[in-house]
Structures are given as structure tokens and as C-alpha cells.
Amino acid sequence: MRVKTGWALASLVVVCAFLLEGARVPIASAEPESTPGESQSAQSEAPVGDGGTESGWDGEGEDARQAGEGPEAQLENEPVEAPDFVHFMPPAPAPPISLSFPELPPTSLDPRLTSESPSETTETADLIKAILGLVLVLALAYIGGMPRIRAIFNRLRISHILTTGLPFLLLGVIFRQPNVGILSDSILDQIRPVLPFGLGWLGLAIGFRFDARGVDRPPPFTAETLVWLTLVPFVLMLGVAWGFLYYANPGEPIVNLGFAAIVATAGTVSGRITPLISKETTDSTGLGRLAYVIQMEQLAAVLLLASVAALIRPEDTMIAWNLPGMMWFFITIGFGVVMGALAFIFLAIAQSKIEVSLVLLGITSFASGLSSFLNIPATIVCFIVGLILANIPGMRRTRLRGSLARLEGPIYLVFLFLAGAHWRVSDIEGWALLIAFITSRLLGKQIGATALEMNTRTQIPDQDLRGMAFSPMGALAIAIAISAQDLYPSITAAWVVTAVIGGAIASEILVQILGRGASAPVKEESSS
């Protein structure tokens, strides 16, 4: 009996052990798993009874269990609760102690803190050099633009661009060099609004000199002169420039065509000064053949530049207007008309010369600034303003002409200085385009002069034909090239500026060499 009771107790102990292990499974899934050593130590904690059994319970306890009494029966009836296990978690490491202190404001007690950094000192020195350089340029422009100085050069039969204009171009190139450091990129960006103002002032002066009264009564052989001496060179220069840009900058045929049209337009416009032209015979309107042809060339150049700027819009995220190209053309013309009307109203109430000059400066500044913001040529808008002021009835033109004569020279020289600063003389492609441009221009002019002589049958003097064939380029040509660079800042625009500026200088030198034996006095060019 005792043996059977022992086996029964052993079986009960095993069952209880399995029940305890089953009760520990949920806790083990939530808590870290126990090691084999811990499980063995837990099993070894079970009491071991007498007689080699694993329990200390006796037979009386077994009888009580079978009767439903005693602690064993209560243990089977009550749910077994999982024991609580306490696990030790090491504390998180403390963050490192920062020994940085707030920077104290510099005081006079610490000379090291009050001293400026080398970069600030360099920027201050560059700014001082830029200010002094610009003041020097303004002073030289005022002296070079004085009427007496210009009259001296006119008596010497030397054009304005080769006397005071060329030195200012070279000054702009020199000041832009990095080793000189007067016009850095930041300084040039700060004074950039002066460039559209110069373009606008040139357009105002050229438009004011445009005489629209005799446009409907052209001199004899004017149509033939325009066809052979303007259209033929334009087509030749357009083809040569487009072919060059096509191979030098492939991938943008339409943009290259626009730049080629700008180059051809600049080469077509002729300047008024040339010692190769004899004294012109004038008709009843007072316009000679050459003056009429030059006015038509200027008008065609203005319309062509406005068309190129309208059809090929520059990429600018500031202007969100999605308009057709011809709509921009009409906006340009309309804006110029509105500015001309405002100028007429303000000039009508101006009394003194100073008030007239201030009105002209204010209208030109506003028109050129807003034109630059809208990415339309400021030269075109201000040309329309000058055209309205010169031809509208009731305008006192004498005061306007005097104010333009006083301000035109210095502004023109400052414009040439900025044009030289934007001139990238290191581009080999620009010089190659210059050679192609000069060659095609001279060739087209010679072909046109020869064809004109054959068609008119010696009705035009040979000296006039020679002068038209070797006519110089005016200031409007440079303004057109700089306008293209202002609207489309790119490497191709830099090549165009190099070709046009170099072509203007080369044509002036050629005219001066060929015209040394001519007896005609040189006329005032200024901005033509």
C-alpha cells in the first residue's frame, strides 16, 4: 500500500510541475527567456520527502486529497498565478557634459575679439576701390562729354567712339580683370541697373533725332539704296552669322537665328559720322539721301529687335505671363507710347532747364527699369518716347535738345564703360565671329554699292557710293548687342557683343584711314 501511495505522489508531483511550467509560459513570452541554469535551479527547489520520494507528503495527506480536503485539493481547484520576476535594467548612460559657452560680445578690453576678420577687411577694401573707381569714371565721363571737348575732336575729323569712347571701353575691360579687382561680380551686379538706363537714354536720343516729317517723301533712288546697301548686306550677314553659330553652338537653331538676326541688324545700322560722304543735296524736306537711308535703317533695326525680343522670350520665373509672341510686341509698342504721353504731360508744365532735365532723367529711369523687369528692350521703349517728343505738335524742342546735348555725352561714356565691363575679351569664338562679321559686312556693302551704281547709271556720286560702302557703325549697333546680352545672358550673347563692339571699332578705324583725303567736315555723332 505504501508503495502504491508513493508512486501516486510521484505522479502528482510531475503533474504539478507540468502545470507550473504551463503557467509560466505567458510570462516567459513577455519577459526575457530564462537560462537553462535558472530552470534547473527552479526544479531543484521542489521539496524532497522521505523514503526516496520527491515529496514530503504522507499517506494521510493522500487520503485527505482523495476526500477533497487539504491544501493539494485547494491547489488544484484554485487558478495558479504566475510568479513575479524582477529583472535588473542597467541605467542609461548620462549625456556628455557640454563645455561650450555663449560667445561674448567684443569689448575694448579684449583686442583679439575687436579685430576684424581678414575676409571682412578684404571686402571693405574692394568696396572702397570700387567706389573710387566709379567716381573716377564719372568724373572722366563728365569731362569727356563736355561740348568743347567734343567740338575739338570734331574739328580733328575723328569720331567720338575712337576718341573718348574707346578709352572708356578699355577702362571697363581693365577694371573687370580679377587682378585689378575694381569691378567684381558682386559690384557689377549691384550697378547693373545703370546698364538698362544707358540703353534707354541712347534710345531716347536716337528717337528724338528721328525726323518723321519727310518719311512719306523720300529722296530719289532711296528705294534702290535701301535694297542694295541695306537688304543685301543684311541677308549676307544673317546667313554667315547663323552658320557660324550653328556649328559653334548646336542644339538651339531658333535661338541662334535670333542672335544671328541681332548681329545682322547691328551691322546694317550706319553711323552719321563719315568723312567719305560729300556734301549732301537735300530736297524740300531737308533730308538728304544718306540721312533718309540711315533713318530707315534705324527704324528697321528697332522693329526687328522688338520682334526678336517678343518671339524669343527669355527664361525668367519672375514674369508668369504666358502670352503669345506678338502680344509682347504690342506690349512693347504700347508701353513706349504711354511713357511718351507721360513725358509730354510733365514736360508741358516744366519751366526751367533743370526741370526739363529732371523729367527726362525720371522718365528714362522709370521706362528702362520697368522694361528690364518685363524683359523687353529698354532701347525700343525709350526710342518711341523720343520719337513722340520730337514729332508731337506743341512741344518746345529747343529746351529738350539742349538738355539732351548736356546729358548725352557723359551718359554715353558711362554706358560704354559698362559695355566694356560686360565684354568678355577672352572668348576665342567671339573673335572668330568678329572676323566673319566684318568680312560679310564689307563684302555685302561692296556688292550692294556696285549693283546700285549699275542700276542708277552714275546718278549717285562715286564718293557717296564709296562712303556708303564703307559706312561706320553707330552707337545704336552697340546698344542692340548690349540689349541682347541684357535680355539673354549667355555665352552666345557674349560672342555677339565681341563681334559688334570689335566691328564698330574696326569700321571706325577703316573709315578714318580711307577718309584722310576727304574734305567734308565731320558731323556730330553722339548716339546715332
Side-chain angles (χ1 to χ4, degrees):
M1 184 66 181
R2 181 175 292 274
V3 175
K4 293 181 179 180
T5 303
W7 282 105
L9 289 176
S11 301
L12 181 62
V13 170
V14 172
V15 171
C16 291
F18 275 103
L19 291 176
L20 289 176
E21 287 293 330
R24 290 179 59 185
V25 170
I27 302 301
S29 62
E31 298 294 337
E33 297 181 356
S34 60
T35 59
E38 292 177 351
S39 61
Q40 291 178 2
S41 60
Q43 293 179 1
S44 63
E45 291 177 359
V48 179
D50 297 338
T53 63
E54 296 178 358
S55 174
W57 295 341
D58 52 4
E60 296 179 357
E62 174 65 20
D63 297 335
R65 186 189 65 78
Q66 293 179 356
E69 297 178 359
E72 291 84 3
Q74 294 178 1
L75 182 62
E76 291 180 356
N77 295 330
E78 294 180 0
V80 180
E81 296 181 359
D84 297 331
F85 294 91
V86 179
H87 299 278
F88 175 77
M89 298 295 295
I97 300 176
S98 176
L99 298 179
S100 61
F101 298 96
E103 184 179 357
L104 298 177
T107 59
S108 59
L109 299 179
D110 192 353
R112 181 180 58 84
L113 295 178
T114 57
S115 61
E116 296 182 356
S117 61
S119 59
E120 295 178 354
T121 305
T122 304
E123 292 179 358
T124 305
D126 293 341
L127 183 60
I128 293 175
K129 286 197 306 182
I131 293 175
L132 294 178
L134 292 176
V135 169
L136 176 63
V137 169
L138 292 176
L140 293 176
Y142 177 77
I143 297 173
M146 295 176 64
R148 293 181 180 180
I149 301 298
R150 299 167 68 182
I152 293 174
F153 292 124
N154 289 334
R155 285 195 298 267
L156 295 176
R157 301 166 55 81
I158 304 176
S159 63
H160 195 51
I161 194 173
L162 287 182
T163 54
T164 53
L166 182 58
F168 274 82
L169 276 172
L170 297 179
L171 271 179
V173 174
I174 294 173
F175 284 8
R176 187 68 175 86
Q177 299 303 313
N179 52 358
V180 178
I182 294 180
L183 287 181
S184 60
D185 293 337
S186 58
I187 297 297
L188 200 61
D189 186 66
Q190 292 295 327
I191 63 176
R192 182 188 173 276
V194 182
L195 189 63
F197 173 77
L199 293 171
W201 189 269
L202 285 177
L204 177 68
I206 296 171
F208 187 79
R209 291 189 179 90
F210 191 91
D211 193 355
R213 293 172 296 175
V215 172
D216 56 341
R217 295 187 301 273
F221 303 106
T222 301
E224 293 85 351
T225 304
L226 286 173
V227 170
W228 292 110
L229 290 179
T230 302
L231 185 59
V232 171
F234 174 81
V235 173
L236 185 58
M237 287 184 289
L238 177 65
V240 172
W242 193 17
F244 178 88
L245 295 177
Y246 179 80
Y247 287 102
N249 186 24
E252 298 179 351
I254 303 299
V255 177
N256 291 335
L257 178 60
F259 280 118
I262 290 174
V263 172
T265 304
T268 303
V269 178
S270 302
R272 290 184 180 272
I273 283 189
T274 170
L276 302 179
I277 299 295
S278 61
K279 186 177 181 180
E280 298 185 71
T281 57
T282 58
D283 57 1
S284 59
T285 62
L287 282 177
R289 184 182 301 107
L290 179 61
Y292 189 91
V293 169
I294 290 177
Q295 284 197 161
M296 292 298 102
E297 289 176 351
Q298 292 175 351
L299 183 61
V302 166
L303 294 177
L304 186 58
L305 178 60
S307 302
V308 171
L311 296 177
I312 305 177
R313 291 293 299 167
E315 297 180 0
D316 193 351
T317 57
M318 296 181 63
I319 305 299
W321 297 349
N322 188 12
L323 302 177
M326 291 308 298
M327 185 65 70
W328 283 106
F329 178 82
F330 291 118
I331 288 176
T332 304
I333 303 300
F335 182 50
V337 173
V338 171
M339 289 293 100
L342 290 178
F344 175 78
I345 294 173
F346 287 117
L347 289 173
I349 61 177
Q351 300 297 327
S352 61
K353 296 180 179 179
I354 298 178
E355 292 178 353
V356 172
S357 301
L358 291 178
V359 169
L360 290 177
L361 291 173
I363 289 294
T364 306
S365 301
F366 180 75
S368 59
L370 192 55
S371 299
S372 179
F373 176 76
L374 295 176
N375 284 327
I376 58 179
T379 306
I380 310 304
V381 174
C382 294
F383 175 86
I384 299 174
V385 174
L387 183 65
I388 292 175
L389 295 180
N391 297 276
I392 193 171
M395 178 58 62
R396 291 171 287 186
R397 300 177 183 84
T398 305
R399 293 189 305 174
L400 289 177
R401 191 175 292 108
S403 298
L404 284 173
R406 286 191 302 270
L407 298 175
E408 183 179 358
I411 294 176
Y412 178 58
L413 294 178
V414 172
F415 165 74
L416 290 178
F417 169 76
L418 294 178
H422 287 82
W423 186 11
R424 298 180 56 172
V425 295
S426 59
D427 292 335
I428 301 177
E429 294 85 353
W431 293 102
L433 180 61
L434 167 64
I435 296 174
F437 169 65
I438 294 177
T439 305
S440 59
R441 184 176 187 270
L442 291 177
L443 182 60
K445 291 284 186 179
Q446 289 295 326
I447 294 175
T450 303
L452 181 62
E453 183 180 8
M454 294 174 60
N455 291 334
T456 56
R457 298 176 183 177
T458 67
Q459 296 294 325
I460 300 178
D462 294 339
Q463 187 175 354
D464 291 354
L465 287 173
R466 186 186 181 197
M468 294 178 189
F470 295 99
S471 60
M473 297 168 56
L476 182 58
I478 300 178
I480 290 174
I482 299 298
S483 297
Q485 190 179 36
D486 185 57
L487 293 174
Y488 314 103
S490 61
I491 187 64
T492 309
W495 299 347
V496 171
V497 171
T498 301
V500 173
I501 292 180
I505 297 174
S507 64
E508 291 286 353
I509 294 176
L510 181 61
V511 166
Q512 295 299 323
I513 293 175
L514 296 177
R516 278 296 126 187
S519 59
V522 177
K523 298 180 181 180
E524 178 66 26
E525 177 203 35
S526 21
S527 302
S528 53

